[in-house]
């Protein structure tokens, strides 16, 4: 069971993402919120601290707690991402994720070709093998596909790319459900194999081009 302040943080975070509390709007007074949600002040303060840390809220003495503009939110935070996915228009949100993936994944593949280690190659290879053996099991295919792409981001050995890889690990599941029909799998396997081999060979420009082709398809 999640602690009360974490559950409360989820509740408030989702409410803000839904627009129940608008950008720039002051939240109700702490006592009123505690009464409405039937929680203790300790839990409320812990939940608020979490949302402040994520850039969603700002609290000022004698003023109150206000919702910050969305441009200040930490959109790479796992909870913020999860809340956004839960309430956003799926088509619009996936389009934005695709734009980010198109911009970052070819670069990640190129960097992975330069800096990946034998351990990274093992992780990428095992994920590819799992894709091959998934058969008609959609969930296994998607899980293996996600592992493959996350392993490439990790193989950059660049912690900034790791954050993007974690973000995609959550959101791409929805994208892959749309694109993972059986008819596309032979082509997808061939593309993943070619990308994997380019990374293993250390040919960074080839890895970039193959990744760009894969994302475009």
């Amino acid at each position: 069971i999640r602690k009360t302040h974490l559950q409360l943080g989820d509740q408030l975070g989702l409410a803000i993402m839904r627009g129940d509390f608008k950008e720039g709007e002051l939240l109700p007074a702490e006592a009123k919120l505690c009464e409405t949600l039937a929680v203790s002040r300790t839990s409320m303060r812990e939940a608020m601290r979490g949302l402040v840390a994520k850039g969603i809220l700002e609290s000022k003495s004698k003023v109150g707690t206000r919702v910050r503009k969305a441009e200040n939110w930490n959109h790479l935070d796992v909870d913020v991402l999860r809340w956004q996915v839960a309430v956003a228009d799926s088509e619009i949100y996936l389009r934005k994720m695709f734009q980010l993936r198109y911009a970052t994944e070819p670069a990640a593949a190129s960097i992975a070709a330069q800096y990946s280690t034998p351990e990274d190659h093992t992780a990428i290879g095992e994920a590819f093998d799992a894709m091959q053996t998934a058969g008609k099991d959609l969930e296994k295919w998607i899980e293996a596909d996600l592992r493959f792409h996350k392993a490439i981001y990790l193989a950059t050995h660049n912690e900034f790319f790791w954050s993007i890889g974690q973000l995609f690990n959550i959101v791409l599941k929805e994208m892959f459900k749309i694109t993972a029909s059986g008819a596309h799998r032979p082509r997808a396997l061939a593309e993943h194999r070619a990308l994997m081999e380019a990374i293993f060979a250390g040919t960074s420009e080839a890895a970039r081009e193959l990744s760009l082709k894969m994302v475009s398809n």
Side-chain angles (χ1 to χ4, degrees), residues 15 22 26 61 79 90 116 126 157 168 208:
K22 310 293 184 190
L26 282 170
S61 60
D79 289 328
S90 296
S116 56
E126 287 176 349
H157 294 271
F168 285 147
R208 181 194 301 276

Side-chain angles (χ1 to χ4, degrees), residues 153-210:
Y153 280 96
L154 291 174
T156 64
H157 294 271
N158 180 324
E159 59 270 30
F160 300 108
F161 277 98
W162 294 347
S163 296
I164 296 172
Q166 177 63 25
L167 178 153
F168 285 147
N169 203 45
I170 298 168
V171 178
L172 284 186
K173 184 173 287 189
E174 296 305 313
M175 187 180 288
F176 285 1
K177 283 179 182 177
I178 297 168
T179 61
S181 65
H184 296 298
R185 290 194 192 180
R187 184 192 71 194
L189 279 172
E191 289 175 348
H192 282 72
R193 182 189 296 276
L195 175 56
M196 176 179 69
E197 290 174 350
I199 291 172
F200 290 1
T203 51
S204 60
E205 193 52 43
R208 181 194 301 276
E209 292 300 319
L210 288 163

